[in-house]
Amino acid sequence: MSIDFYSLAVPSIATLSPYRPGKPAGELERELGLTDIVSLASNENPLGPSPLALAAATASLSRLERYPDGAGFELKAALHKAYGISSDRLTLGNGSNELLNLAARAFVRPGDEVIYSQYAFVAYSIAAKACQAQAVEVPARDYGHDLHAMATAVSERTRLIYLANPNNPTGTSFSEAELRAFLDSVPERVIVVLDEAYTEYVDPQAGLPNGLELVDDYPNLIVTRTFSKAFGLAGLRVGFAVANGQISDLMNRIREPFNVNAAALAAASAALEDHDYLQRTLENNRRGRRQLSEGLERLGLEFLASQGNFVTLELKREAQPVFEALLRQGVIVRPLQPYAMPRHLRVTVGTERENSRFLEALARVLSC
Ligand SMILES: *Cc1c(COP(=O)(O)O)cnc(C)c1O
């Protein structure tokens, strides 16, 4: 090869650090010959998929020779029934990650500024850099979004802002009053993407906003939701965005015509009907978050208050060796070095048994 193809690439892409996913259980099995691995690395639903969603996905497989419905008619109807959102304000995505990218592709020109918070989900910086934007990372406050500082960072060149509520990987959140004050202060020409991937888990008493109720008041707001977390369909890749009709039209123009596959469309529609599954999911998460918090307190460890399905804990030492020692015990969690949090680990809330396995393994590792 006589050409260095990196030198031909768009500079902001050539220098991009790729997303590092959680370690797959199969990889650990192959490396260490372990079985019975506890996988708490990617904030997946520990209860498995909803039985209704699984049945719908399975039924869809008998028509695999057909393209899916590119308009997503049935899923949009189900979303309208569940949330009262009309179809002209919806964009369906191959996971909500695709929607985060579509928002940037629709609005961000090379050199425009895209703002997000320190410790925010890495997909935002990847989306911004892929569009050759100038990424503006605003320092966090107590590991969460400093909305006041983010509003102050807006300049003439700012085109788009990413917010996550609750945030991953920290579990931090902001209130409806804080969000409204922020949205009131941001010019309407700046698109605000509010990523609500974990919103179902939020404590209803905590005063967090429901982004879907704000889209009418703020025409520059795009709210993204996913079926990957509380709805237990991470493997199928499906999410949705809600925004005003013009923004939704633009995002729909540039998505691939069949971006959401047939099994995902069927499963997501069914998942919205499975209220029992969602209740069990939320109950398991409440109990599990408490179990993990109490267990970490017993170990004398600090952790961030989380509104999500994960807990982010701080070790009093480098987290990477602890992460690796946990792997040897068959427990996969997420080290946060890629987020410049080298002493933190993020652990997904699992079943009671999985949480216990994690806490026992951590106690063993830390006592060595
Ligand atoms: C998991 C997650 C998503 C969801 O990604 P999908 O592409 O829908 O699976 C989006 N945002 C954040 C902050 C997440 O943690």
Side-chain angles (χ1 to χ4, degrees):
M1 213 159 62
S2 59
I3 302 180
D4 174 11
F5 288 94
Y6 289 101
S7 73
L8 294 184
V10 172
S12 61
I13 294 176
T15 55
L16 196 61
S17 5
Y19 180 74
R20 280 194 250 166
K23 192 176 181 70
E27 194 178 296
L28 186 61
E29 267 173 32
R30 287 192 297 277
E31 286 171 5
L32 298 182
L34 295 173
T35 53
D36 193 21
I37 286 168
V38 172
S39 195
L40 301 175
S42 299
N43 299 345
E44 296 146 344
N45 191 321
L47 304 186
S50 137
L52 298 187
L54 182 59
T58 306
S60 77
L61 299 183
S62 64
R63 299 180 298 277
L64 280 184
E65 81 287 1
R66 299 288 175 194
Y67 279 101
D69 174 11
F73 178 84
E74 281 175 21
L75 177 52
K76 285 180 179 169
L79 287 166
H80 180 255
K81 185 169 169 222
Y83 301 112
I85 307 285
S86 58
S87 62
D88 61 320
R89 300 201 301 166
L90 284 165
T91 310
L92 304 180
N94 189 254
S96 60
N97 203 150
E98 180 184 31
L99 299 159
L100 301 171
N101 291 332
L102 289 177
R105 277 176 50 209
F107 291 102
V108 176
R109 292 165 183 74
D112 282 351
E113 288 173 359
V114 171
I115 297 176
Y116 48 82
S117 175
Q118 182 187 20
Y119 309 130
F121 191 38
V122 284
Y124 311 150
S125 78
I126 295 174
K129 289 170 187 170
C131 293
Q132 303 182 62
Q134 187 69 43
V136 178
E137 187 182 289
V138 175
R141 200 181 55 197
D142 299 332
Y143 290 102
H145 290 53
D146 184 342
L147 290 181
H148 185 74
M150 292 180 80
T152 308
V154 171
S155 80
E156 284 298 314
R157 288 165 59 206
T158 305
R159 175 64 59 208
L160 189 144
I161 302 174
Y162 287 108
L163 305 176
N165 201 38
N167 184 48
N168 171 28
T170 58
T172 53
S173 57
F174 43 81
S175 70
E176 174 161 0
E178 290 170 296
L179 177 60
R180 280 189 181 272
F182 173 82
L183 292 169
D184 286 335
S185 72
V186 169
E188 214 167 81
R189 62 173 168 80
V190 176
I191 305 293
V192 177
V193 179
L194 176 63
D195 177 349
E196 292 192 327
Y198 298 96
T199 195
E200 294 83 5
Y201 294 106
V202 162
D203 172 3
Q205 313 303 323
L208 269 63
N210 174 352
L212 303 186
E213 292 169 359
L214 297 178
V215 172
D216 278 340
D217 291 350
Y218 299 98
N220 54 335
L221 180 63
I222 303 175
V223 177
T224 62
R225 298 269 181 108
T226 183
F227 287 93
S228 297
K229 306 285 159 58
F231 291 104
L233 297 174
L236 283 177
R237 316 301 307 123
V238 51
F240 63 99
V242 180
N244 84 57
Q246 291 185 1
I247 292 178
S248 302
D249 178 38
L250 288 162
M251 288 175 61
N252 274 292
R253 287 183 196 189
I254 56 170
R255 69 174 172 80
E256 288 177 25
F258 305 105
N259 60 334
V260 183
N261 70 72
L265 289 171
S269 303
L272 287 171
E273 295 286 335
D274 199 342
H275 305 288
D276 182 52
Y277 171 83
L278 187 60
Q279 285 318 310
R280 280 188 284 124
T281 293
L282 302 187
E283 182 52 31
N284 180 73
N285 198 60
R286 268 192 295 276
R287 267 188 276 124
R289 226 162 39 188
R290 204 177 317 127
Q291 184 189 359
L292 288 173
S293 306
E294 290 170 3
L296 292 170
E297 274 166 16
R298 274 198 300 279
L299 292 172
L301 293 171
E302 297 200 354
F303 51 89
L304 303 174
S306 172
Q307 287 286 338
N309 65 341
F310 56 91
V311 177
T312 299
L313 58 122
E314 181 165 11
L315 299 164
K316 296 178 188 85
R317 50 164 129 158
E318 288 291 306
Q320 186 67 23
V322 175
F323 163 70
E324 285 165 16
L326 287 171
L327 289 182
R328 292 190 288 274
Q329 310 262 342
V331 176
I332 313 178
V333 298
R334 193 66 155 262
L336 297 183
Q337 177 71 53
Y339 287 88
M341 295 169 71
R343 292 174 160 238
H344 286 80
L345 290 175
R346 190 194 69 194
V347 55
T348 302
V349 175
T351 61
E352 187 179 355
R353 179 186 151 274
E354 290 171 328
N355 300 333
S356 298
R357 277 273 311 271
F358 161 72
L359 289 167
E360 286 156 19
L362 184 63
R364 270 197 297 276
V365 167
L366 293 180
S367 67
C368 297

